[in-house]
Amino acid sequence: QVQLVESGGGSVQAGGSLRLSCALSGSATSTSGYCMGWFRQAPGKEREEVASIDRFGNTRFADSVKGRFTISKDNAKNTLYLQMNSLKPENTAMYYCAARYTSFACPTDLKLYTYWGQGTQVTVSP
């Protein structure tokens, strides 16, 4: 059974930074074979993709975070990261990581991700 556990959320003022981590665990698992992504859901809104990284290291970002957020994956540590800089109040949301074992590009349909973490809250004050 694969498990994803997020950490690193918290409260920060606008313009600040946070680094989210997502640890993947389970028998015979490694992040190397997975597409992994970060998603967020604000109250009253649908869950949306923030960034994703496939098994080859190709990345994709939502337009709203391009140039401010960076996604990376440390396969030796089985951990996914999201570095968030120049945070804005509209970035306030619950942030989730997700994974799908695939040789192809990361899916754009959230429903195709197999594993999800429980989420970590990010709150950005003005």
Side-chain angles (χ1 to χ4, degrees):
Q1 182 71 16
V2 173
Q3 290 186 323
L4 299 174
V5 179
E6 303 97 335
S7 61
S11 297
V12 64
Q13 288 190 322
S17 299
L18 283 174
R19 188 194 195 201
L20 305 184
S21 299
C22 173
L24 182 150
S25 63
S27 60
T29 56
S30 168
T31 53
S32 61
Y34 286 85
C35 157
M36 299 188 74
W38 287 100
F39 302 82
R40 65 188 177 193
Q41 188 166 19
K45 294 188 177 181
E46 292 187 352
R47 192 172 298 189
E48 62 178 359
E49 179 179 324
V50 176
S52 61
I53 182 167
D54 67 18
R55 65 185 301 170
F56 306 108
N58 299 309
T59 59
R60 182 172 69 212
F61 295 91
D63 288 342
S64 62
V65 307
K66 284 181 180 176
R68 299 187 297 119
F69 290 14
T70 303
I71 188 170
S72 60
K73 189 166 55 143
D74 186 334
N75 293 328
K77 295 182 178 180
N78 284 343
T79 302
L80 176 73
Y81 302 99
L82 183 69
Q83 178 66 44
M84 305 186 293
N85 299 327
S86 301
L87 282 162
K88 303 176 180 180
E90 53 263 41
N91 299 141
T92 295
M94 185 70 79
Y95 283 71
Y96 301 88
C97 72
R100 174 181 173 87
Y101 194 87
T102 179
S103 298
F104 300 102
C106 290
T108 55
D109 186 347
L110 275 62
K111 294 188 294 292
L112 296 179
Y113 281 84
T114 312
Y115 306 106
W116 289 85
Q118 293 301 306
T120 185
Q121 177 69 36
V122 171
T123 302
V124 184
S125 57

